[in-house]
Amino acid sequence: PVVDAKTRQILGVEALARWPAASPRKIGPGRFIRIAETSGLIDDLGDMILEQACADAAQWPGLRISVNISPVQLKNPAFVDKTLGIIVASGIDANRVELEITEGTLVEDVAKAKQIFETLQAAGVHIALDDFGTGFSSIGYLRQFNFNRIKIDKSLIDKILSGTSEQHIVQGTMMMATGLTAAVTAEGVEYEEQFVVLRPTGCREMQCYSFYRPIPAADMTQLLS
């Protein structure tokens, strides 16, 4: 769940892909996603995750649903049509869907990616830059993409209580995001003290382990009711 920094109300959810709990093997998403990317399965996996996420979101009127995408998916010429087709078939409004791409894996073909993002945004889909602060993107590079949201990585949030210099880095990130006309979400806020420090920076949304840990979709439905 993603919460409002002022009211602590749930505004949206991020869909997380996890290996089946019933499996005797415990495999993290970092591993099975990489295998899917190199084996040619990422398109099918990505479609399946988006389909399930949209189906779940149909039960939660008004909430934003965020789904991670792989840069490998952007190489598929059918990506835009398939993505929009899945959203339309689910019956939810496209403006409730947010696709996240990680800064550390930002695309090689900037012109092509920009065109894809613009087409999706024209249909109402939002595009977010995930894990901001872990890559090496210049502001000039980021300005080429009209991101709707920037998500500050947990690694920056973890250090925010260690001193004023770390707080200044987060404040600078907030200012940059404002300059890029993007909303900001802080990821991995684990402690109330972090929440208290972050809120005055202007960060309006947070994913807080201190409020909600990742939960199954069925539990989310129960929580909202």
Side-chain angles (χ1 to χ4, degrees):
V2 180
V3 300
D4 184 292
K6 287 186 178 180
T7 66
R8 306 196 183 198
Q9 178 184 357
I10 297 175
L11 300 176
V13 290
E14 177 183 357
L16 304 177
R18 294 294 182 264
W19 197 256
S23 172
R25 304 180 68 188
K26 305 303 177 186
I27 302 176
R31 183 179 178 196
F32 69 73
I33 293 296
R34 282 196 300 272
I35 293 173
E37 288 175 333
T38 56
S39 63
L41 294 172
I42 192 63
D43 290 323
D44 290 338
L45 180 61
D47 290 347
M48 183 185 75
I49 291 171
L50 179 61
E51 210 168 277
Q52 183 64 55
C54 288
D56 290 334
Q59 307 171 59
W60 311 322
L63 289 193
R64 183 176 73 243
I65 180 76
S66 299
V67 179
N68 293 276
I69 59 172
S70 163
V72 177
Q73 290 176 265
L74 301 182
K75 297 179 181 179
N76 185 338
F79 173 71
V80 171
D81 289 340
K82 288 170 67 180
T83 298
L84 294 179
I86 290 171
I87 295 171
V88 170
S90 74
I92 69 172
D93 292 335
N95 59 18
R96 290 179 56 201
V97 178
E98 185 172 83
L99 301 181
E100 301 183 9
I101 187 159
T102 304
E103 182 191 14
T105 58
L106 263 178
V107 288
E108 302 165 1
D109 191 336
V110 175
K112 181 178 180 182
K114 185 178 178 182
Q115 183 180 21
I116 290 172
F117 292 164
E118 287 176 348
T119 303
L120 290 168
Q121 287 170 320
V125 177
H126 291 188
I127 306 295
L129 177 64
D130 195 15
D131 297 340
F132 181 78
T134 59
F136 303 95
S137 302
S138 67
I139 294 179
Y141 179 68
L142 294 179
R143 283 178 64 88
Q144 296 182 72
F145 300 98
N146 184 29
F147 290 111
N148 300 102
R149 180 175 307 280
I150 290 177
K151 301 186 70 177
I152 303 177
D153 188 65
K154 183 181 183 299
S155 61
L156 289 180
I157 304 303
D158 284 344
K159 300 174 183 176
I160 198 170
L161 299 178
S162 62
T164 55
S165 61
E166 302 297 340
Q167 294 174 24
H168 290 159
I169 290 174
V170 174
Q171 289 170 346
T173 302
M174 291 294 305
M175 292 176 64
M176 187 186 70
T178 302
L180 294 170
T181 64
V184 177
T185 298
E187 298 181 286
V189 181
E190 295 190 8
Y191 307 107
E192 180 71 19
E193 293 85 353
Q194 293 172 322
F195 182 88
V196 171
V197 171
L198 275 168
R199 193 164 57 179
T201 67
C203 185
R204 297 180 179 177
E205 295 188 12
M206 302 183 194
Q207 285 182 282
C208 304
Y209 273 35
S210 55
F211 297 164
Y212 305 107
R213 299 188 71 83
I215 56 177
D219 292 353
M220 184 69 197
T221 300
Q222 185 176 3
L223 175 65
L224 291 170
S225 66

